[in-house]
Amino acid sequence: MEIERASYPTPWSERLFHEEFTNPLGMRFGYRASRLHGYIFGWMIFEDLHINNVTVDPEIRRRGAGAALLAALLDEARARGARKVILEVRPSNTAARELYGKFGFTEVMIRKGYYSDTGEDGIVLGMNL
């Protein structure tokens, strides 16, 4: 929760985390060095992966943790037969958008006012696996 609160204007609740850990469709990975420094959550729905949350501790961002988390989730999704992956990202989150671009994600559409905390649009990114 500390990483979540330090990262987002409207962090996920403990209930949402609990649901991610108990969802039978869910996949999750953590990034640890001396402690937990990041996490990623996704759902496999048939042959599609929807990435729900990628978060890295602000203290170690842009040092490869996000890439390691994303690579682990994509590898697991491929092993489970995923063919496509989709996620939403804020236009203002340029670091995340750069990371996703390096992995081959492209813009699919814009969801107007997707982020209720700021009214910011959500950029839907996708890629084939």
Side-chain angles (χ1 to χ4, degrees):
M1 292 301 305
E2 290 176 27
I3 297 168
E4 185 76 8
R5 288 184 189 117
S7 299
Y8 299 110
T10 306
W12 275 17
S13 67
E14 288 184 33
R15 179 185 60 79
L16 284 175
F17 276 98
H18 177 72
E19 289 174 4
E20 287 294 326
F21 281 109
T22 59
N23 185 333
L25 302 175
M27 295 190 309
R28 65 219 47 92
F29 289 93
Y31 183 89
R32 295 183 63 96
S34 58
R35 61 177 175 79
L36 183 68
H37 288 285
Y39 45 85
I40 189 167
F41 295 104
W43 293 351
M44 275 288 296
I45 304 172
F46 299 105
E47 65 277 346
D48 296 338
L49 170 66
H50 186 186
I51 298 175
N52 299 323
N53 191 336
V54 182
T55 305
V56 173
D57 188 328
E59 293 179 10
I60 68 155
R61 286 189 186 148
R62 297 180 92 62
R63 296 184 199 167
L69 288 165
L70 187 56
L73 186 68
L74 294 176
D75 287 348
E76 179 65 19
R78 283 184 190 99
R80 293 187 187 191
R83 294 185 186 163
K84 292 192 271 185
V85 59
I86 193 167
L87 59 84
E88 292 86 14
V89 64
R90 294 172 189 263
S92 61
N93 193 343
T94 54
R97 291 173 57 203
E98 288 173 13
L99 173 65
Y100 300 138
K102 288 177 184 175
F103 275 80
F105 284 83
T106 59
E107 187 174 315
V108 174
M109 62 182 280
I110 302 290
R111 293 190 175 157
K112 294 288 184 190
Y114 180 77
Y115 293 98
S116 60
D117 57 345
T118 62
E120 195 170 5
D121 294 342
I123 300 173
V124 178
L125 299 177
M127 67 181 262
N128 293 322
L129 294 176

